[in-house]
Amino acid sequence: MTQQIIIATGALFGMLSVIFGAFGAHALKKILSTEQLHSFEVGVKYQMYHAIVLLTIGLNSNNIASTTYWCFTLGVILFSFSIYGLILSDAKGKKFRFLGPITPIGGLLLVIGWLLLLINVL
């Protein structure tokens, strides 16, 4: 995995996290319940945390395993984006229940990414 791809992915996730965070704080504040807004914010926070990790890895390592990169990348997509889909579809009255099982798969990929990073360092 090239450093440029890792950094670009981290930058994209970071940028989208800021956009989604602002969208949630302003546009969604009026249509989501407090609980829904909190869940949306969890997705945004986890997305930003992993954007920062990808940037850190990309800027500081020449030897990151592509498996670690893919676990973080797919984990963010499955975890955060499924939360966004669940919350937004629920707010519209048509909850996409099929996304429910996808969220923990994304979370598991994030955990595996952290484990692989730990193994890589040790």
Side-chain angles (χ1 to χ4, degrees):
M1 190 60 43
T2 69
Q3 283 182 290
Q4 291 167 322
I5 292 172
I6 296 169
I7 294 168
T9 304
L12 176 65
F13 283 165
M15 178 188 71
L16 289 175
S17 182
V18 172
I19 291 169
F20 294 159
F23 181 65
H26 300 287
L28 296 180
K29 192 175 187 177
K30 298 172 185 166
I31 60 171
L32 297 181
S33 69
T34 303
E35 183 179 321
Q36 289 172 322
L37 194 56
H38 175 73
S39 293
F40 191 87
E41 289 171 355
V42 167
V44 170
K45 286 178 190 176
Y46 274 59
Q47 182 176 333
M48 181 57 84
Y49 298 154
H50 290 87
I52 293 168
V53 168
L54 287 169
L55 289 171
T56 303
I57 290 169
L59 292 169
N60 293 306
S61 175
N62 291 326
N63 262 344
I64 186 67
S66 66
T67 308
T68 305
Y69 166 80
W70 283 112
C71 283
F72 281 143
T73 300
L74 293 175
V76 166
I77 292 168
L78 295 178
F79 182 82
S80 293
F81 286 77
S82 67
I83 289 175
Y84 304 149
L86 281 165
I87 298 304
L88 295 174
S89 64
D90 188 34
K92 295 291 183 182
K94 297 179 184 181
K95 190 170 189 175
F96 294 159
R97 297 197 184 281
F98 69 91
L99 292 174
I102 293 172
T103 307
I105 293 169
L108 180 61
L109 285 170
L110 294 174
V111 170
I112 292 169
W114 284 103
L115 175 63
L116 292 173
L117 184 59
L118 177 63
I119 290 168
N120 238 354
V121 169
L122 297 177

